[in-house]
Amino acid sequence: MNLVAYRFPMAFLTILSVLFLIFALYKNKVTPKIILGVSVSLSTAEWLLMYGHWAMDCNIVVPMFIFAVGFIILSFTQKKIYGYVGIVLIDLMAYCYVGAWISLPFIFIGTICFLYNLEKFNKKDIYRLIFISAVLLFPIFCYVLVQFIGVKPFKFLWFTVASLPQTRAANSMISFSGNIINNVISNLASGLGQLITGNDSWLQTSIPGYAVIYFLMFLLMIYGVVCVVKEKKNVVTKFLIILSFSLIPLILFVQANFTHWAVVLFIAYLWAGIGLGKLFELAGKRIVKVVILLTVFIVSVDFTHYFFKDYTNTEVTANQIPSYVIDFNNSKKFVSELDNLHVKTYYGFPFYNSDRPSNNIEFLECIKRPNPHKISRLEEKYQPSIPTQITSGSAAYIIPEDQVDNYNYLESLPSKILRVNGQNYVVFYKGN
């Protein structure tokens, strides 16, 4: 287990989903210049490179949504089974922790109605899809009843439906206290500013200083929308319009940042790709085309250079809390060296987040793989706090090197220096 292995599936799925979307556009005989525009837009999207390398619970929603859009577009000219797959993926997006859930009913209904009007689906297909969706969404529906509606925990077949001690549902929504209209307007202004500047102030989704490319893509998005509104719409652009309107609830009521608005950014960059393609289709304007492509190329090369050279160090430094684990193998070796001390209790275990006291235990479960019935013993053996005096019995005290002076009472004990995640720790220990 290492960082590359952990992040590879998400990165691979993101790349594969973009390639699949391009393939779906090609199979629908979308003009080559529009396909080129979309390819340039998505392959140089800094936010997507940032988003696609984070293996977090919410991030899977982006490749899943791109695949869903690709399969539905593919169903326009191919077999209806692709439409079924697209709808199922939309259903499964309900299980992704992200604000997209608020728009999923509109995407679901809009897509089914659109395919029905295209005569790709008939009434039997709609009934089947409603049944399939009901089965897929039944577990989360039960959870909602218990977590938010007040139904008591219950057991269904072999599943126990219980409530969580806390959720983050409210953290992704705007405030509904006070003047809601002002809150919505403020959120829209914040989201618009992020689209233009490419900075949502979150290190994991944006790198400040690349506003040029974001502003350029914002202008191309506007241009793409204007071009489509003025001309006769094809089946792909009609579907894109439906998706765009379906996202309005998300844009209005979900807090603006690149994580919560990830599907919005994807649709925005599809429009930007169309705008770029429309620009390619114009006769003349060679200088404008060259300037835009040269700008995209130069900024992308500069961003990629920073991302692979300097960003990793910035990421590590910013996230040392110090529970944030960057190098799994290094951490495993650290724990192994601690175990070699053969003491009963380890105080000051560093992989610990005060917001989530169980983090150190989760991490230890991953390394030590204990018997499930003995997990509680890990919490007894590895503790985050440092006692105010030397305890009876064998123990080790893990102190950050720059804080050793605060624990003078430990100086009588033998010690050794261990390093993990870029930080040195002085480990004082005593046997039985």
Side-chain angles (χ1 to χ4, degrees):
M1 188 65 180
N2 56 52
L3 197 62
V4 174
Y6 190 72
R7 288 180 171 174
F8 176 78
M10 177 65 192
F12 177 74
L13 282 175
T14 303
I15 295 170
L16 191 63
S17 65
V18 172
L19 293 175
F20 180 74
L21 176 65
I22 300 303
F23 171 75
L25 294 175
Y26 168 76
K27 296 297 286 186
N28 267 271
K29 295 182 171 55
V30 174
T31 62
K33 290 182 179 178
I34 295 295
I35 292 179
L36 176 61
V38 172
S39 301
V40 171
S41 172
L42 292 179
S43 63
T44 59
E46 284 89 347
W47 70 269
L48 191 57
L49 178 61
M50 297 290 295
Y51 196 92
H53 91 292
W54 278 90
M56 297 193 295
D57 52 358
C58 55
N59 289 32
I60 191 66
V61 75
V62 168
M64 191 177 290
F65 187 51
I66 297 175
F67 271 121
V69 172
F71 274 110
I72 292 166
I73 290 176
L74 203 57
S75 72
F76 297 161
T77 56
Q78 307 295 315
K79 297 178 180 179
K80 69 170 66 176
I81 186 63
Y82 295 115
Y84 272 69
V85 174
I87 296 296
V88 167
L89 288 173
I90 291 173
D91 290 335
L92 295 178
M93 284 171 62
Y95 290 91
C96 302
Y97 159 70
V98 75
W101 61 267
I102 197 171
S103 283
L104 291 183
F106 303 96
I107 297 174
F108 178 86
I109 295 172
T111 300
I112 286 184
C113 292
F114 184 71
L115 291 173
Y116 179 76
N117 289 333
L118 281 181
E119 298 183 348
K120 291 296 176 181
F121 283 172
N122 54 39
K123 290 184 178 180
K124 288 185 178 179
D125 294 317
I126 294 177
Y127 296 148
R128 291 191 191 105
L129 283 168
I130 291 176
F131 175 76
I132 292 171
S133 299
V135 172
L136 290 174
L137 296 174
F138 181 74
I140 201 169
F141 176 72
C142 291
Y143 163 73
V144 169
L145 288 177
V146 173
Q147 187 70 49
F148 300 106
I149 308 300
V151 175
K152 292 183 178 181
F154 62 93
K155 191 168 185 177
F156 176 77
L157 298 178
W158 57 90
F159 298 106
T160 299
V161 182
S163 63
L164 297 175
Q166 62 180 9
T167 73
R168 298 180 63 186
N171 293 355
S172 62
M173 307 297 292
I174 66 169
S175 173
F176 290 97
S177 61
N179 193 319
I180 297 178
I181 294 178
N182 284 346
N183 295 341
V184 169
I185 293 174
S186 176
N187 192 57
L188 288 174
S190 176
L192 185 63
Q194 293 168 22
L195 283 176
I196 293 174
T197 64
N199 182 15
D200 67 348
S201 75
W202 287 25
L203 177 69
Q204 59 263 42
T205 48
S206 64
I207 297 175
Y210 291 91
V212 172
I213 190 70
Y214 284 94
F215 183 64
L216 176 60
M217 287 300 170
F218 178 78
L219 295 178
L220 288 171
M221 177 190 72
I222 300 297
Y223 181 67
V225 171
V226 171
C227 288
V228 168
V229 169
K230 287 183 176 181
E231 67 183 19
K232 183 178 180 180
K233 301 166 187 60
N234 58 44
V235 66
V236 174
T237 53
K238 287 180 181 177
F239 178 57
L240 186 53
I241 289 172
I242 289 175
L243 288 180
S244 301
F245 276 104
S246 298
L247 294 177
I248 289 177
L250 190 159
I251 294 171
L252 293 178
F253 302 116
V254 175
Q255 287 184 11
N257 59 56
F258 287 178
T259 298
H260 298 157
W261 278 28
V263 294
V264 176
L265 266 74
F266 165 65
I267 295 298
Y269 270 65
L270 270 185
W271 282 114
I274 291 174
L276 189 57
K278 294 294 183 183
L279 188 65
F280 290 154
E281 291 178 347
L282 290 177
K285 308 289 184 182
R286 180 173 295 180
I287 294 179
V288 175
K289 297 174 186 177
V290 169
V291 169
I292 289 178
L293 286 178
L294 195 60
T295 301
V296 171
F297 175 77
I298 292 174
V299 175
S300 296
V301 169
D302 183 54
F303 177 88
T304 305
H305 179 265
Y306 177 85
F307 180 82
F308 287 108
K309 183 180 179 182
D310 299 323
Y311 173 74
T312 302
N313 294 329
T314 303
E315 176 188 344
V316 171
T317 302
N319 286 288
Q320 290 305 310
I321 51 183
S323 66
Y324 191 82
V325 178
I326 298 295
D327 190 330
F328 186 87
N329 289 330
N330 181 233
S331 303
K332 190 173 182 178
K333 180 182 178 183
F334 177 80
V335 173
S336 176
E337 292 185 16
L338 289 178
D339 286 346
N340 288 337
L341 298 177
H342 302 295
V343 298
K344 182 180 179 181
T345 309
Y346 297 87
Y347 296 104
F349 188 70
F351 306 111
Y352 175 77
N353 186 331
S354 59
D355 293 331
R356 294 185 61 196
S358 62
N359 268 17
N360 55 334
I361 303 305
E362 292 171 1
F363 180 76
L364 277 168
E365 287 178 40
C366 189
I367 286 181
K368 303 180 77 65
R369 301 184 181 182
N371 181 315
H373 301 291
K374 298 180 180 179
I375 288 178
S376 60
R377 295 185 183 179
L378 290 178
E379 196 165 10
E380 296 174 4
K381 189 172 184 178
Y382 298 88
Q383 299 185 21
S385 60
I386 303 290
T388 56
Q389 60 184 5
I390 298 176
T391 60
S392 60
S394 63
Y397 308 85
I398 308 164
I399 312 296
E401 192 173 40
D402 57 357
Q403 298 179 24
V404 169
D405 292 342
N406 298 329
Y407 300 91
N408 295 329
Y409 60 88
L410 297 174
E411 291 180 353
S412 61
L413 301 178
S415 65
K416 62 188 304 183
I417 295 178
L418 299 180
R419 183 176 179 82
V420 65
N421 288 341
Q423 185 166 346
N424 288 335
Y425 292 89
V426 179
V427 182
F428 297 93
Y429 58 94
K430 75 182 184 75
N432 291 312

